[in-house]
Amino acid sequence: QGWSCVPMYYTDADYDKIKKAIMDSAGYICRINPGTYEGVTQSKLDGLLNDMVKEGKKGMSSAESMQKMGAKDALVKIKDLECGLSCTAAYYDMKSLTENFPKTMASGDIRVLKQNRGSQGEGIWVCKLAPGEEKKIADGKCPEDTLLDLQEAYDNHKEQQTIGDFMKYCKKYLDGENGQLVDQKFLPRIVEGEVRVFMIGDKPVELIHKKPAEGGISATLSSGAKYVKYAPDDAKFTLLMSKFKADLPKLMEALDLKGQPLPLVWTADFILGPKTADGQDTFFVGEFNCSCVGITKQLERADDVAKAAIQICS
């Protein structure tokens, strides 16, 4: 179609070279797995990627998109979309955590606290009142000595802590750059797994049902989960896909990314919710990822990725 794509590797030393190449192009495709790299200053690279978007270049994806879609508080921003949970809240400091988490735990719901950083389920905690502890609730909140039953998704281990001690433990998730916690109602059907929708631009190309090992809640391969693939039009997921497609035109604006395209290669992980009156499954987003989605199992989709990139840049 007359388009070309030139692979380049970024280092701070090559900043000017990379900037000129992007300025001479219609856009860029960035793939960087979050981490620390020798010779790379993340803030400098992020600034370049975002500046190029301001210059009218198409970012696939911009640093801003990767940060805002990957952050756990994306779940707060989408809470009023079909794919969101309306009861979702975010905490950015100890004050908001200690003021509000004891209230959400007093609601009677089992809750999930998710840290913004980490991967593979690290820092994702299922929290419920220990048996009999509901008697301690007063004035709509749990006192600090209320005992919680906790389970971390990383390795499915279980432990008990008082809510006061647990909030102190969670301080490490709030400290430092991009520290935050998201608090939302636990969906008990998580034991049935997650459904990952693999997207190229605005087109779903594959669904992957990730089912945890018996008795677990983590859907990572390292925890023993099993993966089963489905076509996007599989009848089993008709309701999921119809609602998600309806959300797509509103998604970037909801994430404070108005004017930016949907990512080139990205995923949305859905958790099963309650069944509808007619027995259909409902689904809610648990996480987005557009920073460096694994594609080694989808290399046959290279032409689809190229066509989507051309469409975004045209």
Side-chain angles (χ1 to χ4, degrees), residues 187 189 239-240 243 270-276 280-284:
L187 297 173
R189 296 185 68 196
L239 185 61
L240 162 62
K243 288 181 175 290
F270 286 83
I271 302 169
L272 286 96
K275 287 185 178 290
T276 63
Q280 293 190 75
D281 289 324
T282 59
F283 296 85
F284 299 95

Side-chain angles (χ1 to χ4, degrees), residues 3 10 20 80 118 122 129 158 165 194 209 223 285 309 313:
W3 290 76
Y10 175 88
K20 183 179 186 306
D80 296 321
E122 182 184 359
L129 298 181
K158 297 179 180 179
D165 287 342
E194 299 175 358
H209 185 192
S223 68
V285 167
C313 290

